[in-house]
Amino acid sequence: MANGIAETTWVYVVIQDPGREEKILGQYDDAADITFIPFFKDRDTGQQAVLHLAKTPGRPLEIQAIIFEDLVRYATREGHLLFLLDASGRIETKMTPQGKAL
């Protein structure tokens, strides 16, 4: 892929309500009026970055692995951009829902 992430690469996302009504946690940027899915290169980065994300109180979260191709399919269906974040929650790479670099 143009962004340097192969379709078969495992990446990590935040799952809200694991084991029940599982949903990939998305974020909304008021200033830019966009929705995006934060994802991470590894589980440890996700565990650290989740502290910096907007969350719904009382809803459990879990970092889970997903194949990048499946994440792209989900983002395309939901119409969310994809943002690769570092451990402090800063954006490393912005991508279209189809996984192409912006």
Side-chain angles (χ1 to χ4, degrees):
M1 298 201 119
N3 59 24
I5 300 175
E7 292 176 347
T8 57
T9 300
W10 288 96
V11 295
Y12 294 82
V13 294
V14 181
I15 300 295
Q16 183 173 279
D17 296 324
R20 296 184 295 207
E21 295 178 29
E22 291 187 349
K23 182 176 181 183
I24 295 175
L25 181 72
Q27 299 286 281
Y28 178 70
D29 181 336
D30 290 333
D33 191 30
I34 58 170
T35 56
F36 66 93
I37 297 170
F39 74 101
F40 316 96
K41 292 178 183 176
D42 56 62
R43 184 180 307 278
D44 290 338
T45 301
Q47 292 285 33
Q48 294 172 41
V50 75
L51 301 173
H52 305 284
L53 300 177
K55 302 170 278 298
T56 304
R59 308 281 296 269
L61 301 174
E62 182 176 282
I63 306 300
Q64 292 185 8
I66 186 170
I67 296 283
F68 187 68
E69 180 180 33
D70 293 336
L71 178 58
V72 165
R73 198 175 358 258
Y74 181 87
T76 300
R77 185 177 71 235
E78 298 296 321
H80 296 318
L81 296 173
L82 294 168
F83 287 4
L84 177 64
L85 303 184
D86 67 11
S88 63
R90 285 189 289 256
I91 300 168
E92 289 186 0
T93 307
K94 294 181 181 181
M95 298 175 204
T96 66
Q98 295 76 31
K100 300 198 183 329
L102 287 176

